[in-house]
Amino acid sequence: MFAHIQSGADNMIASEKNLMTSVDKAYDLYFQLLTLPVELAEYARERQELARQKRLPTYEDLNPNTRFVDNAVIRMIAGSDSINDRIAARKLGWKKCSDLIRSLYAQLCESDYYKEYMQSAETSFDNDRRFLMKFFEAMQECDALDEALEELSVMWLDDVPFVIVMILRTLENTRQSHTELKVAAEFKSDEDPAFVRTLFEHTLVNYNAYQTHIEKYTANWDIERIVFMDNLIIATAIAELVSFPSIPIKVTLDEFIEISKYYSTPGSSTFINGILDKAVESLTAEGLIKKAGRGLI
């Protein structure tokens, strides 16, 4: 929506297509990142093999610690048909990122959680899984990874924190008894793609009308001086409040306040929260917000 409005685009269908493409790309990133530890483990395995082939190998060269390369969860990811099929079909992977793999492996080896894992007396599937979760948590703030992903796709960088949360949930639900890693679905239900399109369309079609409402709730503000992203977030929240009677008001408010923390200025969440509270009161009184369904009483 930001791109559509700021560029002055007049083809909503094309912009909607770009929106759904960005959802597909975010799902690609989920698979791309899931295979990152597989690539690192393979790199570690190659290094160990090269060390064994030295003319004068040390005891450590001949008897390396293979806990990381033999991590059971990493092996499960590597052997997953659903992951490998998506990687192949969408032409994903890390073949063009050899420098990144070397750099990340070096960083990994220096990390406290890696050293603790490699030296731990516990050898279990749960321990392997906990280690991998710590790895992905560390990747949430990794400049080298961010730079590499930006080169692979300009659509990926903003989605890294969200996708890593998806991966952590996937790992939390993984069990040793599973024969296949249960990957997250792109959409939780068949209704979700329709929701995305409908929210997008209703916001754009009614954007100017919503600006009129926003002006009423920001009487002491110059509407032109309000951060554009704040304006857009408020308009989208109003579209959801008005257009989706089955979504509780609190759910909408919580979601868009969280979005503002990520996409707008530090003080935006407080500002948006105040404006949306006024909007809910006014739009409900006007009969424009009508909620019905389970969990709404």
Side-chain angles (χ1 to χ4, degrees):
M1 286 188 287
F2 182 93
H4 180 94
I5 295 173
Q6 287 290 72
S7 66
D10 57 5
N11 189 333
M12 187 168 69
I13 294 175
S15 293
E16 186 176 292
K17 184 178 179 180
N18 290 336
L19 168 61
M20 301 313 292
T21 296
S22 74
V23 175
D24 288 338
K25 290 296 291 183
Y27 195 48
D28 282 345
L29 179 59
Y30 170 75
F31 289 89
Q32 179 82 4
L33 288 178
L34 265 174
T35 61
L36 181 56
V38 176
E39 199 74 21
L40 290 171
E42 183 57 31
Y43 176 73
R45 192 186 306 278
E46 291 172 358
R47 284 174 56 90
Q48 290 178 354
E49 187 57 36
L50 287 173
R52 287 192 184 97
Q53 295 173 13
K54 288 180 181 178
R55 290 186 60 187
L56 296 172
T58 64
Y59 176 84
E60 288 74 16
D61 292 334
L62 296 173
N63 300 276
N65 185 339
T66 62
R67 177 167 293 184
F68 173 58
V69 300
D70 291 336
N71 181 290
V73 184
I74 293 178
R75 288 206 311 269
M76 186 179 286
I77 295 171
S80 169
D81 290 337
S82 55
I83 293 175
N84 291 327
D85 289 348
R86 179 82 180 195
I87 293 293
R90 303 285 289 189
K91 295 181 173 58
L92 304 171
W94 302 96
K95 290 182 179 178
K96 299 178 180 179
C97 303
S98 56
D99 289 345
L100 172 69
I101 298 303
R102 282 194 296 270
S103 174
L104 289 183
Y105 182 69
Q107 291 179 33
L108 178 64
C109 291
E110 292 300 315
S111 67
D112 292 337
Y113 72 90
Y114 175 84
K115 293 174 182 177
E116 181 182 348
Y117 169 69
M118 296 298 281
Q119 297 167 7
S120 173
E122 180 183 355
T123 56
S124 68
F125 184 88
D126 287 344
N127 195 36
D128 286 351
R129 182 180 56 187
R130 285 194 298 270
F131 163 76
L132 208 54
M133 292 180 72
K134 289 178 182 177
F135 167 77
F136 280 111
E137 287 167 358
M139 290 301 100
Q140 288 178 318
E141 296 183 5
C142 178
D143 292 340
L145 178 62
D146 289 346
E147 291 174 8
L149 291 175
E150 190 170 18
E151 289 185 12
L152 291 171
S153 173
V154 294
M155 304 180 82
W156 273 351
L157 195 54
D158 276 357
D159 294 329
V160 171
F162 169 71
V163 168
I164 287 181
V165 169
M166 287 178 61
I167 290 174
L168 292 174
R169 289 174 180 170
T170 298
L171 295 174
E172 283 176 355
N173 295 323
T174 302
R175 299 292 181 269
Q176 188 172 9
S177 58
H178 293 172
T179 56
E180 169 80 7
L181 189 78
K182 186 177 180 180
V183 298
E186 183 169 7
F187 296 100
K188 288 185 177 181
S189 73
D190 294 338
E191 298 175 355
D192 285 355
F195 166 77
V196 173
R197 293 187 180 94
T198 302
L199 180 58
F200 180 72
E201 292 166 2
H202 283 208
T203 304
L204 290 184
V205 169
N206 298 290
Y207 186 75
N208 290 332
Y210 293 153
Q211 293 307 301
T212 301
H213 283 289
I214 293 171
E215 287 178 12
K216 289 194 301 183
Y217 314 134
T218 55
N220 297 324
W221 293 75
D222 179 352
I223 194 72
E224 298 297 327
R225 297 188 65 185
I226 297 174
V227 176
F228 174 71
M229 182 57 80
D230 289 1
N231 239 343
L232 188 59
I233 290 170
I234 295 168
T236 311
I238 292 175
E240 184 171 295
L241 288 165
V242 171
S243 304
F244 296 90
S246 63
I247 299 178
I249 290 172
K250 186 178 186 305
V251 170
T252 297
L253 298 187
D254 288 347
E255 288 289 345
F256 283 94
I257 289 167
E258 283 302 310
I259 287 172
S260 72
K261 292 176 183 177
Y262 185 72
Y263 281 106
S264 203
T265 64
S268 290
S269 60
T270 302
F271 170 72
I272 289 172
N273 186 36
I275 299 304
L276 287 178
D277 281 343
K278 294 178 183 177
V280 167
E281 183 179 354
S282 175
L283 292 170
T284 301
E286 293 175 35
L288 294 176
I289 294 179
K290 297 177 181 178
K291 297 296 182 180
R294 293 180 60 188
L296 298 173
I297 299 176

